[in-house]
Amino acid sequence: MGNERIVTALFHGIETGRLANTLLFTGPAGSGKKTLAAKVAQKLFCPDLCGRCPSCTLLAREIHPDYLLIGSEGGVVKLEQARQLKAFLSAPPNSAAYKVAVLENCHNLTVEAGNSLLKILEEPPAASICILTADSAANVLPTLVSRSQVYTLTALPRAIISGVLQEKKIPENQSWFLTGYSEGILGRVLELLAESDFWQRRQQMALEIKEVLARRRDPLLSSDNWQLFPEEALDLLEFWLRDMIMLHINPDYIPVNKDLQASLEECLANCPEDKSIALLDQCAQARERLQARCNPRLVFDCLALKMWEV
Ligand SMILES: [Zn+2]
């Protein structure tokens, strides 16, 4: 959804026999890379995309013998996955005219996996299509990028996201928040909607931010909670701080956390603009530390103490 131009280009390539053997789909998590890969496979297996034939049915159930999706444990592609790809593509197709293999997270390859993958792509087996996915082409080995046709999935406009939420009859307050918080990534919205505990965690997070900034709550107790869901806690805190900064600058701004505006206003009173900006900076540092596999408890202890400091 929202990337129709890419779909049209890919389908045109299939219809005219000009689809490359290796495709690279890039975009943030939840932007639809896997969905697009499955769509390409469906078009290759069933040009009419009928949705009813054995090919379409097996593909929809992710058990088509000529389609393989290779995820990667811990987000790192290792030699084992590259070998799995090679073994799958080397055998001739079972029922379809092509074999399609999808390898996720190609921005994160071990050296051995990268070398092995390059060899496969240099001499692709006949009738095989290899689809690589990554967060950004800039993070993929240049030698892999140069062998691929690259398609970049973009964030969707607000109107599309809010349209989907309206169709799902999501209450206005939640819909407003999700539209801002998802940053145009539909997969993120759908994931949050499927998670029944999210709203409660968010409510608790907002309460704790407010209490820590007001120095009414032990910051280390909050850190204990936040380090249990580190990525999400950072996301929520960052959006909260951005709202605060915007409200400091422009009191008429409609915050992403509109439904919790009273709590936001209370935070403004306890945390001036320069401190809000400094804390947003701290969040970015915390994210880098988490990515570098620092201990989440220490990362959040440090962050919560900065919030508590005057
Ligand atoms: Zn079909």
Side-chain angles (χ1 to χ4, degrees):
M1 186 181 265
N3 284 294
E4 283 81 6
R5 228 185 293 171
I6 292 181
V7 176
T8 308
L10 284 163
F11 281 10
H12 183 71
I14 293 171
E15 281 156 2
T16 55
R18 280 204 295 261
L19 191 73
N21 282 94
T22 308
L23 307 171
L24 171 62
F25 294 166
T26 63
S31 57
K33 300 185 292 291
K34 267 185 285 178
T35 310
L36 182 62
K39 203 84 200 156
V40 168
Q42 194 189 1
K43 181 77 181 168
L44 284 164
F45 297 166
C46 169
D48 296 334
L49 302 167
C50 77
R52 293 180 309 272
C53 69
S55 242
C56 288
T57 317
L58 291 173
L59 192 60
R61 291 171 57 199
E62 297 186 347
I63 49 171
H64 197 296
D66 293 319
Y67 183 77
L68 179 69
L69 173 67
I70 307 173
S72 46
E73 215 175 292
V76 181
V77 179
K78 299 187 180 137
L79 185 57
E80 188 191 327
Q81 276 92 29
R83 284 193 175 141
Q84 197 186 351
L85 182 91
K86 187 177 177 188
F88 175 77
L89 289 181
S90 302
N94 288 283
S95 55
Y98 292 90
K99 290 197 107 169
V100 181
V102 185
L103 182 62
E104 293 191 277
N105 297 321
C106 290
H107 51 273
N108 213 346
L109 295 165
T110 62
V111 177
E112 297 83 34
N115 289 337
S116 167
L117 202 53
L118 269 175
K119 269 185 222 148
I120 305 168
L121 301 186
E122 261 164 21
E123 287 168 43
S128 73
I129 304 287
C130 179
I131 302 179
L132 312 176
T133 77
D135 57 0
S136 148
N139 298 333
V140 180
L141 283 176
T143 39
L144 281 183
V145 179
S146 67
R147 281 173 177 76
S148 317
Q149 234 169 43
V150 184
Y151 293 90
T152 303
L153 280 78
T154 50
L156 304 182
R158 288 184 71 94
I160 292 189
I161 301 273
S162 60
V164 171
L165 290 167
Q166 218 167 16
E167 245 173 61
K168 291 187 178 288
K169 303 204 177 356
I170 304 301
E172 203 276 330
N173 264 341
Q174 288 190 1
S175 166
W176 176 265
F177 172 77
L178 285 175
T179 305
Y181 185 70
S182 66
E183 298 186 302
I185 312 294
L186 186 57
R188 209 172 284 169
V189 174
L190 300 177
E191 202 178 301
L192 291 176
L193 285 177
E195 244 198 273
S196 51
D197 296 342
F198 172 73
W199 297 103
Q200 206 201 329
R201 283 200 304 273
R202 171 178 173 248
Q203 198 91 31
Q204 180 65 24
M205 183 84 199
L207 176 75
E208 291 191 16
I209 296 172
K210 188 180 80 179
E211 294 298 298
V212 171
L213 286 176
R215 298 165 70 86
R216 283 191 298 254
R217 179 180 165 84
D218 181 345
L220 298 181
L221 281 179
S222 284
S223 164
D224 276 351
N225 290 336
W226 298 346
Q227 53 107 15
L228 297 175
F229 51 105
E231 300 289 332
E232 184 180 279
L234 270 185
D235 286 342
L236 288 169
L237 178 57
E238 272 188 4
F239 271 90
W240 194 267
L241 289 167
R242 278 193 229 168
D243 272 351
M244 286 173 59
I245 294 166
M246 289 305 289
L247 284 170
H248 271 303
I249 298 168
N250 171 15
D252 294 330
Y253 170 76
I254 302 174
V256 172
N257 292 287
K258 179 173 74 168
D259 54 327
L260 300 175
Q261 185 139 4
S263 298
L264 268 173
E265 304 276 356
E266 212 184 310
C267 289
L268 293 184
N270 292 319
C271 180
E273 187 183 334
D274 54 348
K275 182 177 173 185
S276 310
I277 293 171
L279 286 177
L280 195 57
D281 233 32
Q282 289 292 327
C283 285
Q285 278 187 34
R287 205 176 285 278
E288 278 171 23
R289 288 175 183 152
L290 286 177
Q291 270 158 9
R293 302 192 191 274
C294 290
N295 181 335
R297 180 180 296 275
L298 296 180
V299 172
F300 279 100
D301 278 358
C302 174
L303 185 57
L305 282 167
K306 290 277 182 206
M307 292 168 68
W308 193 76
E309 277 172 10
V310 184

